[in-house]
Amino acid sequence: MGSYDEADSGSIGVINDYKDSQPANPPMEEPKVVGAAAAQAPIISSYNDKIRPLLDVIDRLRLLMVMKEGIQLPTIVVVGDQSSGKSSVLESLAGVNLPRSQGICTRVPLIIRLQNHARQGLELYLEYNGKTVPVEEPQIATAINIATDEVAGPGKSISDIPLTLVVRKDGVPDLTMVDLPGITRVPVHGQPDNIYEQIRDIIMQYITPKESIILNVLSATVDFSTCESIRMSQQVDKNGERTLAVVTKVDRAPEGLVDKVTADDVNIGLGYVCVRNRIGDESYEEARKEEARLFETNAHLSRIDKSIVGVHVLAQKLVRIQANAIAKCLPEIVKNISAKLDANVSELEKMPKALTSIADATQAMMRIIQAAKESLKKLLWRGEFDEYPEDNTKHGTARFVEMLNRFSDELHNCEESNLSKDFLTEEIKGLEDARGIELPNFLPCEAFLRILRRKVERISYLPIKLSEKYWDYIDDVVMSVLTRHSEMYYHLKVSAKGAAHNLVQKLREQSINRVKEIVEMEKLTGYTCNPDYMMEWNKLMKQQDHFINKISGTNMRPLPCSVDLEGLGEIQIEHLRKHSDVSILQQAFDLKMRMVAYWKVFKVRLVDSMALHLRYHVHNLVHNDIDEIVKELMGPDGHGIKMMLVESPAIVAKREKLKNSIKVLKESKDSVAKIMDRIVAYDACLV
């Protein structure tokens, strides 16, 4: 950001007009007035009638509190450590008495608006809490203290709510400044323990915006680098491009001051101004004469360049910096006000109008439900995610595939799908339990079914878990979509979410019951017409003789402990040698291979069944069942619709806030437009 001490090439032309309209010794140049002449001269020339409106419009925007709308204004912010002489500097600029005390005297931000007034006399008034209070000069300090007590409370506590002091007086500089509480680390009696943190937060709030000009008041009696106000300003203005330092109490520590202000060890980009403040009962005229005499006659202070000494120099410097800052910032302020106004108008238009009749409420409800229904079709059925492009959790079809794949992996990797563990043990026991009067080498169907039922029972929790998880996900998506579409209607949102939850829970229960039926059907009988079953069984049975030979160990020494079977891997066989009946081993192997082939078909079929079942129910939900929400909302007596006529307090508050904001922004835009029109008209006359 460029320095405010130089005119910006893109600044408004009227600033240059101000310079050109002045006499040969324009006020924008550093002052050369010294001695008695400086003491007798007015503190600064006034803005001409083309410059004054610039500051007036900024003051008007500040009065409208446009900064609460996020619109930053160019502001001279006065900061300093406690007892650095801030109030004295401001008194010298304003020519009026401000509150003074041994402790903290500025407890709230004090906006001081100085306006040069050609007429005789002084006009003073305070603005706070929405009221304007005229003040007489002898009572100004008392009036500020009373107003401060009203805003911040009695005692020593502070507040970030500002007061505004308007000073209209002949000869004062046209300036607007914000005086902030002096920085103190040690609480005095009546102050909270965190007084430093409170003051720091207020100061940082005002000096952080890049539009702020920081007037850092430093006492000549201290090392500048140790000042807390310097540390704070450096946090937000590291290079000092918008910081001006005013050095007070020069009469108390004149020795070495010239070196301190010329060395600039603390990066004060806008330079230094050294001043002597009023002491005791001195009048302002007497104080200025004494200041001029001091800088001329003191052996140390007279060495300081006259272009950086005196209250009149400080006033001129502030006027120039303020004018350039306004000129530089005003186009951006206009742009920001328009953008904020457009955004608020758009947001207000999007808000629902207050419902005044049952017909309006019914129409609004149907519109919301239909919009939610369409959103759910996109998310859960069609796989269109334009409404939630960044929120992957709402991409329903993709999340369903993930759940289904995870279910398939769990099914294929579960204990029941481990084909080599305790090989043939369960089959041999099943054959022995099913033994009866039968033809030799006949494989009993009951043995197969017993093993199948046990295996299906052991994995039955997996499809139920998938169904529960999926319906929980559906419930979350439905709640989120309904919330988004009914956000502006609090009572409808609450009722619709309740009705939707009830519907989803009903469908969830139906779905889980259907999954249990699917599991029971699989346990009831073993059946498939899938040709892969016979192909797989035949391929596996070709290894039977090889397997039996490995167990018997004919002509094998030592006896093998395992055998490799295609499709099954390495199988441990030592535990099978205790069965001397080869026929039972052959039957067990046959039964095992049938189960292996059938289990492979079963797993694929179960995954397919779950996919089709859940998709079918979701289709019904988003196309048909969702309409049941309307019936529940309507109720038998239409009570649900009547509830919609009562607006949420949050919505009412938001609508009023937007209306008030729009009103402020429109007034701000009108105020700025008037001055911009004058600037354009004036620039046209120059061409």
Side-chain angles (χ1 to χ4, degrees):
M1 177 179 172
S3 170
Y4 285 130
D5 199 29
E6 298 178 0
D8 187 270
S9 59
S11 299
I12 297 173
V14 73
I15 298 300
N16 295 324
D17 166 66
Y18 169 59
K19 296 180 181 178
D20 296 340
S21 66
Q22 300 306 304
N25 184 27
M28 289 303 180
E29 297 178 359
E30 298 294 349
K32 303 297 182 182
V33 182
V34 295
Q40 297 297 330
I43 198 167
I44 192 171
S45 301
S46 170
Y47 279 128
N48 61 30
D49 59 355
K50 301 179 186 66
I51 297 297
R52 175 72 244 177
L54 284 175
L55 186 54
D56 284 344
V57 75
I58 295 298
D59 288 339
R60 173 61 179 163
L61 296 180
R62 187 174 284 109
L63 185 62
L64 289 169
M65 291 186 283
V66 75
M67 296 176 76
K68 288 187 176 181
E69 304 298 330
I71 311 297
Q72 298 299 333
L73 303 177
T75 303
I76 297 175
V77 182
V78 186
V79 298
D81 293 3
Q82 185 176 331
S83 301
S84 62
K86 283 192 307 93
S87 296
S88 297
V89 170
L90 295 173
E91 282 185 343
S92 297
L93 290 170
V96 296
N97 295 331
L98 297 175
R100 290 169 172 268
S101 69
Q102 293 299 316
I104 185 171
C105 55
T106 304
R107 298 195 292 122
V108 299
L110 178 63
I111 301 173
I112 303 176
R113 281 213 314 265
L114 306 181
Q115 298 177 351
N116 186 64
H117 203 295
R119 290 179 296 180
Q120 294 296 320
L122 171 67
E123 291 184 23
L124 294 169
Y125 53 90
L126 283 169
E127 297 172 345
Y128 62 98
N129 288 350
K131 56 187 177 183
T132 300
V133 180
V135 180
E136 296 296 329
E137 184 173 9
Q139 283 77 44
I140 184 62
T142 302
I144 290 177
N145 286 330
I146 292 173
T148 299
D149 287 344
E150 183 174 330
V151 170
K156 302 289 185 177
S157 59
I158 66 170
S159 171
D160 62 354
I161 301 174
L163 305 177
T164 298
L165 172 65
V166 179
V167 180
R168 290 181 176 174
K169 185 178 181 181
D170 185 25
V172 299
D174 284 300
L175 288 171
T176 298
M177 300 168 289
V178 180
D179 182 26
L180 298 179
I183 303 166
T184 178
R185 282 192 171 275
V186 181
V188 299
H189 179 69
Q191 288 182 339
D193 293 337
N194 67 339
I195 185 66
Y196 168 76
E197 288 76 13
Q198 289 187 33
I199 294 174
R200 178 199 62 200
D201 291 346
I202 293 177
I203 290 175
M204 297 303 289
Q205 174 187 336
Y206 275 87
I207 68 175
T208 297
K210 61 180 177 33
E211 294 81 4
S212 295
I213 302 119
I214 305 170
L215 180 60
N216 212 319
V217 180
L218 308 171
S219 172
T221 61
V222 301
D223 181 354
F224 295 165
S225 63
T226 65
C227 293
E228 190 71 15
S229 62
I230 287 291
R231 190 184 68 83
M232 289 185 183
S233 63
Q234 286 180 337
Q235 289 181 27
V236 297
D237 185 28
K238 186 175 181 180
N239 297 324
E241 293 176 346
R242 51 190 180 88
T243 301
L244 172 67
V246 55
V247 183
T248 65
K249 305 181 182 179
V250 296
D251 50 331
R252 297 186 186 180
E255 188 174 353
L257 182 58
V258 64
D259 296 327
K260 290 171 72 173
V261 299
T262 54
D264 188 23
D265 294 330
V266 290
N267 291 335
I268 303 297
L270 297 180
Y272 293 81
V273 177
C274 302
V275 301
R276 175 198 178 273
N277 291 327
R278 189 167 60 98
I279 298 175
D281 295 329
E282 287 179 342
S283 69
Y284 292 105
E285 286 299 319
E286 291 170 345
R288 291 182 61 197
K289 290 179 181 179
E290 184 59 29
E291 179 185 59
R293 186 197 64 78
L294 179 66
F295 282 111
E296 283 185 349
T297 60
N298 184 279
H300 299 287
L301 299 180
S302 60
R303 295 170 51 209
I304 302 175
D305 192 306
K306 296 303 182 289
S307 66
I308 62 169
V309 299
V311 173
H312 62 291
V313 170
L314 174 63
Q316 288 184 329
K317 214 169 184 45
L318 289 174
V319 165
R320 181 178 62 255
I321 292 171
Q322 177 181 251
N324 289 332
I326 294 175
K328 187 171 186 175
C329 295
L330 195 55
E332 187 68 17
I333 291 172
V334 174
K335 177 182 174 182
N336 291 340
I337 290 175
S338 295
K340 182 70 173 178
L341 178 59
D342 291 344
N344 284 359
V345 170
S346 177
E347 187 174 0
L348 183 62
E349 289 175 348
K350 291 178 182 177
M351 290 191 68
K353 296 180 179 178
L355 303 176
T356 57
S357 68
I358 296 295
D360 288 343
T362 303
Q363 187 178 21
M365 181 189 68
M366 295 302 297
R367 184 174 62 252
I368 290 169
I369 297 300
Q370 289 305 312
K373 185 176 179 180
E374 182 60 26
S375 294
L376 291 173
K377 287 179 182 179
K378 288 182 177 181
L379 297 173
L380 300 177
W381 186 252
R382 299 201 296 264
E384 300 172 7
F385 312 131
D386 55 291
E387 295 182 14
Y388 297 88
E390 303 300 328
D391 188 356
N392 293 338
T393 62
K394 301 297 186 298
H395 299 178
T397 52
R399 300 293 77 77
F400 176 58
V401 171
E402 286 180 356
M403 293 182 205
L404 201 62
N405 289 340
R406 195 175 300 116
F407 166 66
S408 179
D409 291 342
E410 290 177 348
L411 188 59
H412 283 79
N413 296 323
C414 69
E415 188 70 21
E416 295 308 311
S417 295
N418 185 348
L419 304 175
S420 61
K421 183 180 179 183
D422 298 329
F423 195 69
L424 298 189
T425 299
E426 188 174 22
E427 285 74 17
I428 292 173
K429 185 178 185 306
L431 289 170
E432 290 175 346
D433 291 343
R435 184 177 296 170
I437 300 174
E438 56 193 15
L439 293 174
N441 202 30
F442 185 82
L443 191 62
C445 179
E446 185 59 29
F448 179 85
L449 287 177
R450 285 179 182 175
I451 296 174
L452 176 63
R453 289 182 187 125
R454 283 196 294 268
K455 290 176 72 66
V456 173
E457 180 62 33
R458 290 168 189 158
I459 61 89
S460 61
Y461 73 95
L462 289 175
I464 294 174
K465 184 176 77 170
L466 170 63
S467 184
E468 291 174 339
K469 185 175 182 179
Y470 186 55
W471 283 106
D472 287 344
Y473 172 76
I474 294 296
D475 190 54
D476 289 341
V477 173
V478 171
M479 294 301 106
S480 177
V481 169
L482 276 174
T483 297
R484 183 168 69 89
H485 285 287
S486 60
E487 190 64 46
M488 299 301 181
Y489 298 97
Y490 174 76
H491 295 288
L492 173 63
K493 179 177 69 174
V494 173
S495 300
K497 288 175 67 175
H501 180 71
N502 293 339
L503 172 62
V504 172
Q505 291 306 305
K506 183 179 76 171
L507 297 177
R508 181 181 191 270
E509 183 178 356
Q510 292 174 359
S511 174
I512 292 174
N513 288 338
R514 177 56 184 160
V515 170
K516 291 178 179 178
E517 287 183 356
I518 293 173
V519 171
E520 289 302 316
M521 286 190 296
E522 293 291 351
K523 290 162 60 176
L524 185 63
T525 185
Y527 173 78
T528 181
C529 63
N530 190 331
D532 289 347
Y533 168 73
M534 288 303 298
M535 291 173 58
E536 183 71 12
W537 177 71
N538 286 326
K539 183 175 71 173
L540 294 170
M541 286 301 293
K542 290 178 181 179
Q543 305 177 87
Q544 186 180 52
D545 292 343
H546 172 68
F547 175 75
I548 297 299
N549 288 337
K550 287 288 185 178
I551 294 176
S552 62
T554 305
N555 299 324
M556 297 180 188
R557 290 295 181 272
L559 294 174
C561 298
S562 62
V563 59
D564 284 327
L565 297 178
E566 183 180 353
L568 299 174
E570 185 178 4
I571 304 298
Q572 299 297 318
I573 59 175
E574 281 189 293
H575 65 286
L576 297 175
R577 290 198 172 97
K578 65 183 179 181
H579 300 283
S580 57
D581 188 352
V582 175
S583 64
I584 193 70
L585 291 176
Q586 290 174 331
Q587 282 188 312
F589 187 85
D590 186 359
L591 182 58
K592 181 71 172 182
M593 297 309 107
R594 290 178 186 274
M595 184 56 68
V596 169
Y598 187 77
W599 194 250
K600 194 172 183 179
V601 172
F602 162 78
K603 289 187 294 185
V604 174
R605 183 168 65 198
L606 183 60
V607 173
D608 291 345
S609 297
M610 291 299 298
L612 294 173
H613 160 71
L614 293 174
R615 288 292 283 166
Y616 173 75
H617 275 271
V618 167
H619 174 274
N620 287 344
L621 168 65
V622 300
H623 287 85
N624 303 313
D625 297 335
I626 198 75
D627 293 332
E628 292 186 19
I629 296 177
V630 176
K631 297 178 183 178
E632 183 168 339
L633 290 176
M634 294 287 289
D637 56 357
H639 179 69
I641 297 298
K642 292 179 182 178
M643 287 295 293
M644 285 184 60
L645 299 177
V646 182
E647 277 197 305
S648 161
I651 296 299
V652 174
K654 182 177 181 180
R655 184 184 289 113
E656 288 305 309
K657 182 179 179 181
L658 282 173
K659 287 181 177 178
N660 292 335
S661 176
I662 289 171
K663 180 181 178 182
V664 167
L665 291 168
K666 282 184 176 179
E667 290 185 31
S668 301
K669 187 174 182 179
D670 291 343
S671 297
V672 174
K674 291 176 182 177
I675 182 62
M676 295 300 288
D677 288 344
R678 292 179 61 180
I679 292 171
V680 171
Y682 179 75
D683 287 344
C685 292
L686 293 179
V687 177

